[in-house]
């Protein structure tokens, strides 16, 4: 379930940045339909520098959210220094201070991502579609917190360990007679050791599964998300100006006559 949550994060971060990049400043003549107000004001010409900055902010805040989520789900003394260093290296001082000082860092990063999306020049209906991904991020964050805060009761783990220890303590007595034909029952030693390794290994595996976030490669997930988002927003505007007339003509040919 923990891997599923992070899989959703990877998929929807890509989806969010893809829509933001493709829809940036994209308001065609066909946006003026009845339910979208016929008098929709046309957007100003696109400034390439502003476009690069605003989309870059969306990409950065997307990464900041998943990186804050990774820190939120990790042990307190395991990731704090690396988290602070990475956040300060990629964000502005004001942005990094706001996230680092927040009580709930993923929520703050998600808020900053909402603000970055709101700054994009596009129709509000398209912004609503992009914001749908943020609701999914809230769900994956809440589900991960539920897994982290609801472990198997400690008594269960201790009882299992005590039972296995007691069982292994008396196992040599049960194996003494079956290995009577070996010299001084010497074969009983490796046999008992092998059984102990198998059983205690299963018990340790069950303990690790109670805390899945300590074994998931969350840092790798964050790095992958950051790289993917940066690549997607780097495509902004490529070929759109040259092909605008062709696209408009194709749309006019496909639209029914009104």
């Amino acid at each position: 379930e923990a891997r599923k949550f992070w899989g959703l994060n990877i998929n929807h971060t890509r989806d969010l940045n893809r829509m933001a990049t493709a829809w940036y400043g994209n308001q065609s003549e066909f946006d003026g339909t009845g339910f979208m107000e016929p008098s929709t004001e046309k957007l100003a010409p696109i400034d390439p520098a502003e476009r690069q900055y605003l989309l870059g902010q969306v990409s950065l805040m997307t990464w900041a959210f998943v990186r804050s989520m990774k820190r939120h789900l990790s042990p307190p003394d395991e990731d704090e220094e690396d988290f602070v260093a990475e956040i300060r290296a990629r964000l502005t001082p004001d942005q990094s201070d706001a996230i680092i000082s927040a009580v709930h860092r993923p929520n703050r990063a998600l808020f900053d991502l909402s603000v970055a999306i709101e700054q994009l020049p596009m129709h509000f209906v398209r912004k609503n579609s992009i914001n749908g991904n943020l609701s999914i991020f809230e769900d994956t964050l809440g589900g991960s917190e539920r897994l982290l805060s609801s472990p198997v009761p400690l008594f269960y783990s201790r009882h299992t360990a005590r039972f296995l220890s007691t069982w292994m303590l008396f196992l040599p007595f049960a194996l003494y007679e079956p290995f009577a034909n070996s010299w001084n029952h010497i074969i009983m030693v490796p046999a008992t050791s092998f059984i102990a390794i198998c059983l205690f290994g299963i018990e340790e595996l069950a303990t690790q599964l109670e805390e899945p976030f300590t074994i998931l490669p969350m840092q790798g997930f964050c790095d992958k998300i950051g790289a993917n988002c940066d690549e997607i927003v780097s495509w902004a505007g490529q070929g759109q100006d040259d092909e605008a007339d062709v696209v408009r003509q194709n749309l006019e040919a496909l639209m029914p006559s009104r």
Side-chain angles (χ1 to χ4, degrees):
E1 193 170 4
R3 187 177 293 275
K4 176 183 177 182
F5 289 145
W6 275 94
L8 287 173
N9 282 343
I10 294 174
N11 293 341
H12 287 279
T13 51
R14 294 170 180 169
D15 196 39
L16 184 155
N17 283 268
R18 173 188 58 80
M19 289 190 290
T21 301
W23 290 344
Y24 185 97
N26 184 9
Q27 188 178 36
S28 68
E29 296 177 356
F30 304 106
D31 285 344
T33 54
F35 73 93
M36 298 171 83
E37 304 177 3
S39 59
T40 300
E41 183 179 355
K42 298 302 177 184
L43 300 178
I46 295 175
D47 181 358
E50 181 183 21
R51 179 176 193 147
Q52 181 180 8
Y53 170 75
L54 292 178
L55 289 177
Q57 286 296 300
V58 173
S59 175
L60 276 177
M61 292 308 166
T62 304
W63 169 83
F65 164 69
V66 294
R67 187 61 182 86
S68 300
M69 181 174 171
K70 189 261 182 183
R71 173 67 193 91
H72 186 66
L73 299 174
S74 301
D77 57 347
E78 179 181 294
D79 189 42
E80 180 66 21
E81 293 184 3
D82 292 339
F83 170 76
V84 172
E86 290 182 38
I87 289 292
R88 292 196 183 281
R90 298 197 62 176
L91 304 183
T92 65
D94 291 340
Q95 292 171 336
S96 59
D97 289 341
I99 293 177
I100 293 171
S101 62
V103 177
H104 196 288
R105 290 164 171 174
N107 277 345
R108 174 67 201 200
L110 204 58
F111 167 78
D112 290 340
L113 178 55
S114 299
V115 173
I117 294 172
E118 186 60 28
Q119 299 299 319
L120 300 177
M122 63 180 62
H123 200 281
F124 75 91
V125 173
R126 288 170 173 157
K127 289 182 181 179
N128 288 343
S129 298
I130 297 176
N131 278 310
N133 291 289
L134 273 61
S135 298
I136 296 175
F137 295 157
E138 288 282 11
D139 291 339
T140 60
L141 176 60
S144 298
E145 289 177 330
R146 173 178 54 82
L147 291 178
L148 189 66
S149 61
S150 304
V152 176
L154 185 60
F155 171 78
Y156 293 174
S157 299
R158 288 181 175 177
H159 178 74
T160 303
R162 290 165 182 166
F163 173 80
L164 282 176
S165 299
T166 303
W167 192 84
M168 289 303 306
L169 180 64
F170 289 100
L171 180 62
F173 296 100
L175 297 180
Y176 186 85
E177 185 62 28
F179 290 105
N181 294 330
S182 63
W183 177 81
N184 203 22
H185 301 82
I186 192 64
I187 302 300
M188 184 176 66
V189 176
T192 303
S193 300
F194 176 77
I195 295 174
I197 291 173
C198 292
L199 293 181
F200 282 110
I202 294 174
E203 195 272 337
E204 179 63 22
L205 177 61
T207 302
Q208 289 292 327
L209 290 176
E210 295 173 14
E211 299 179 357
F213 300 110
T214 60
I215 58 178
L216 281 179
M218 292 190 294
Q219 183 63 48
F221 293 157
C222 295
D223 295 341
K224 180 179 182 179
I225 288 172
N228 288 340
C229 293
D230 288 344
E231 181 186 17
I232 291 172
V233 298
S234 71
W235 299 333
Q238 292 183 5
Q240 290 188 2
D241 295 336
D242 296 337
E243 299 176 2
D245 293 338
V246 177
V247 173
R248 185 178 66 255
Q249 293 173 8
N250 290 339
L251 288 173
E252 291 175 350
L254 293 174
M255 289 292 291
S257 57
R258 293 184 291 177

